[in-house]
Amino acid sequence: MASSSQAVQSPPRHVAIVMDGNGRWARKRFMPRGMGHKAGVDALVKVVQATADRGIGYLTVFAFSSENWKRPEEEVSGLMSLLIVALSKYLAKLKDDGVRIRIAGDLDSVSDKVREALRGAERETQDNSRLVLTVAFNYGGRWDIVQACQRAMAAGLRPDQLDEQALAKFMTMNYAPDPDLFIRTGGEVRLSNFLLWQSAYAELFFTDCLWPDFDGAELDRALASFYARERRFGDVGTSGEGDGAIGVIEDVQPSSQGN
Ligand code: IPE
Ligand code: IPE
Ligand code: MG
């Protein structure tokens, strides 16, 4: 049987990013947090370009989590307004650059205006294929798994028909390969409920770089780390292979001590 492990050589097909650190970026400059989010949008547009230039087909970014509603009302409403302003400012450019925008998240509980702006961006760019940019908005990894189960049940799947492949078809990002590289900026070393199902075998990369400072050079650092990894997917891998010998565990007699 062919080995499923592989030395990483080709670019990742799918990169996922937790764009964290906007608030701290602003605080360092004695600016309100909203200015950090605004700078974060500008960084994202540049990183989208850098990702497409490197031949990566899928980029998924965490823009607003299902837990971010806990923030002060002023910050939440500022983020909603920023989304609409950002789309009106950058949608035409992204469309011209061949970017297809898709949304992952629970849009039932966002305002009509925000939902329409997001759905409009999807419609406007649906014929593009150079890069699929998925914006995770009001997204949570647990929500994604639960909605997939609900939709599978609604489709009439019996318990014995439900396996990993069947459930994957109901996950929000069923159109994309699983992320190969999961990047988090801002210095926190946690997943914060992002792509829990899809990142089962993603290579994780954490950087202290605050999101508004992230750019093509930072992306290349993450990619260099990715290329240096050996992805084994549970197999034994290639290092240490060669003599074909499998070490035999000595037949050790159980000790009577402690029994
Ligand atoms: C990430 O930056 C953006 C969103 C969660 C919307 P933060 O706003 O979390 O920035 P920090 O972590 O407070 O610096
Ligand atoms: C994760 O960042 C969510 C987004 C980047 C949209 P948070 O700043 O919300 O995560 P925690 O609270 O530090 O885990
Ligand atoms: Mg944060």
Side-chain angles (χ1 to χ4, degrees):
M1 202 176 83
S3 170
S4 59
S5 69
Q6 59 185 75
V8 175
Q9 274 151 5
S10 49
R13 288 188 299 164
H14 184 174
V15 173
I17 309 183
V18 178
M19 308 183 290
D20 196 23
N22 295 349
R24 280 162 285 163
W25 183 93
R27 197 172 61 214
K28 269 171 61 179
R29 289 163 179 76
F30 306 100
M31 297 190 316
R33 292 176 58 83
M35 294 301 285
H37 296 314
K38 194 165 169 290
V41 171
D42 298 336
L44 174 59
V45 173
K46 288 185 194 132
V47 170
V48 168
Q49 188 66 60
T51 307
D53 288 348
R54 283 153 184 76
I56 296 163
Y58 295 87
L59 174 67
T60 301
V61 294
F62 208 3
F64 190 86
S65 79
S66 43
E67 288 73 38
N68 286 148
W69 297 104
K70 293 176 189 159
R71 296 188 177 206
E73 205 277 322
E74 194 190 331
E75 178 163 349
V76 171
S77 61
L79 282 165
M80 299 295 155
S81 310
L82 177 64
L83 175 85
I84 290 166
V85 171
L87 282 175
S88 61
K89 185 169 173 195
Y90 288 119
L91 184 58
K93 176 186 160 37
L94 292 169
K95 188 180 175 187
D96 283 352
D97 289 346
V99 176
R100 176 170 187 178
I101 296 176
R102 302 195 71 152
I103 309 301
D106 178 7
L107 295 193
D108 290 343
S109 38
V110 303
S111 72
D112 293 350
K113 212 172 158 190
V114 167
R115 188 184 320 106
E116 203 27 62
L118 290 170
R119 292 292 177 226
E122 286 187 313
R123 277 195 303 276
E124 189 70 23
T125 59
Q126 65 189 358
D127 296 328
N128 282 344
S129 57
R130 183 168 171 237
L131 172 79
V132 177
L133 168 66
T134 301
V135 179
F137 198 85
N138 194 20
Y139 177 88
R142 289 180 172 180
W143 165 84
D144 200 355
I145 294 166
V146 169
Q147 69 78 33
C149 294
Q150 288 174 337
R151 294 202 297 136
M153 289 168 83
L157 256 76
R158 293 191 316 270
D160 62 295
Q161 292 174 312
L162 191 71
D163 57 16
E164 292 181 17
Q165 270 186 320
L167 191 59
K169 293 200 177 91
F170 292 94
M171 302 300 295
T172 46
M173 290 172 57
N174 55 10
Y175 50 83
D178 283 346
D180 303 293
L181 175 60
F182 179 117
I183 299 172
R184 181 172 184 142
T185 64
E188 309 293 359
V189 185
R190 56 179 168 250
L191 305 180
S192 297
N193 200 14
F194 192 40
L195 301 179
L196 299 182
W197 171 276
Q198 297 86 343
S199 296
Y201 261 105
E203 298 298 324
L204 306 181
F205 181 83
F206 297 95
T207 170
D208 288 337
C209 176
L210 302 173
W211 174 250
D213 293 327
F214 197 85
D215 58 10
E218 293 291 336
L219 178 64
D220 285 337
R221 261 173 224 126
L223 290 172
S225 171
F226 176 81
Y227 289 128
R229 315 247 180 123
E230 184 189 31
R231 304 186 79 190
R232 289 190 289 278
F233 299 100
D235 203 341
V236 289
T238 51
S239 54
E241 264 181 21
D243 58 7
I246 298 171
V248 176
I249 299 168
E250 295 291 323
D251 186 13
V252 180
Q253 292 299 314
S255 159
S256 58
Q257 281 181 346
N259 287 340

